[in-house]
Amino acid sequence: MDLLSITPNTTFLALKHPATGEDIGVTVELRSLESDEVKAVERMIKNKALKGGRNTVTAEKIDDNAAAILSAAIVSWSFSGDANLGGDKNPACNDANKRKLLSVPPIAKQIDQALGDETAFFASSANG
């Protein structure tokens, strides 16, 4: 096996209602935290921090940086049934809407947990 061929794929996450565990009608396609797209956002955050000097970190900035990383990991989504984002049943998968989705803590937590499951990003490449 060529070790250089081991690269992550995307994976899909069906979002669940935090109280019932039932599907809420939204499926999110996620890219690995090791993907070039997510790494680029992480480098941008680090570069800003290095340029900012000392004592520029705030709780709000940390939260914003975490949201930026989660947002970069979202490739696409599909909404079905009654699921909507602020009344929009077919929201564009853009940065503003990703931030809206991630502003719901239980959803952001589900996405964060799915991103921590590294094997999920390699499952289909191991089979193929």
Side-chain angles (χ1 to χ4, degrees), residues 74-86:
I74 297 173
V75 177
S76 66
W77 58 39
S78 63
F79 282 62
S80 63
D82 292 335
N84 67 81
L85 189 63

Side-chain angles (χ1 to χ4, degrees), residues 9-61:
N9 297 304
T10 60
T11 190
F12 292 88
L13 171 67
L15 296 175
K16 311 279 187 203
H17 190 283
T20 65
E22 300 209 9
D23 284 350
I24 59 173
V26 179
T27 301
V28 182
E29 181 181 12
L30 301 171
R31 62 175 56 100
S32 168
L33 292 175
E34 301 303 321
S35 70
D36 292 341
E37 295 86 352
V38 175
K39 288 295 185 188
V41 170
E42 287 179 339
R43 283 191 293 277
M44 179 194 67
I45 291 168
K46 289 175 185 176
N47 285 334
K48 277 185 182 179
L50 291 170
K51 288 180 186 174
R54 298 179 65 170
N55 301 322
T56 59
V57 176
T58 63
E60 293 81 9
K61 193 63 174 161

